[in-house]
Amino acid sequence: MEHRDGSYMLAMELTVSVSLYDDAPDESQRERRMEAQMSVHGTVSITDMVEASVDEIESNLKLNAISMFYSFIKAQIESQTSMSPMKRFTIPAINPQKLCEAVEED
């Protein structure tokens, strides 16, 4: 996180990869039918006038960035896959807090 010109700024990149497999009864026989991957890089910021600790600010900026970037990626994947013969591919919603916790555990 960077502090400059009266703002805290956090640059971040989020990459989402999704695959769609056929529904063969035997999992080892399933074939990939569709795959999509998208990355978004951006910066989120907040004024330094907010009354919160630097750790709280960084945590909230990270959660907000994940929420915004994932929503954008989700919409783009749905839009792009809707043009395929297989129709629109919808990816599930996520909980940014749980995603951060899982990443920190790794």
Side-chain angles (χ1 to χ4, degrees):
M1 186 170 69
E2 185 179 339
H3 183 242
R4 180 172 36 118
D5 300 327
S7 294
Y8 289 104
M9 295 170 279
L10 179 68
M12 197 170 162
E13 180 177 10
L14 180 67
T15 301
V16 175
S17 300
V18 294
S19 298
L20 177 67
Y21 292 86
D22 64 19
D23 59 355
D26 183 355
E27 197 170 312
S28 66
Q29 307 254 319
R30 292 185 180 167
E31 294 183 31
R32 185 178 309 143
R33 298 295 182 189
M34 184 187 300
E35 183 174 29
Q37 180 175 353
M38 179 175 266
S39 295
V40 174
H41 180 81
T43 302
V44 292
S45 64
I46 190 169
T47 178
D48 62 5
M49 301 295 284
V50 67
E51 293 184 21
S53 71
V54 173
D55 288 341
E56 288 176 303
I57 291 170
E58 185 171 16
S59 175
N60 286 322
L61 285 175
K62 187 184 300 184
L63 294 174
N64 286 333
I66 291 169
S67 294
M68 289 187 292
F69 296 173
Y70 188 83
S71 294
F72 177 79
I73 289 171
K74 183 177 182 199
Q76 291 302 309
I77 287 175
E78 287 184 4
S79 175
Q80 295 300 311
T81 58
S82 70
M83 296 180 226
S84 83
M86 295 182 70
K87 304 295 181 209
R88 180 174 48 192
F89 184 62
T90 301
I91 59 176
I94 62 164
N95 179 328
Q97 181 68 43
K98 289 188 179 187
L99 177 64
C100 285
E101 290 169 1
V103 169
E104 289 172 1
E105 288 177 6
D106 286 344

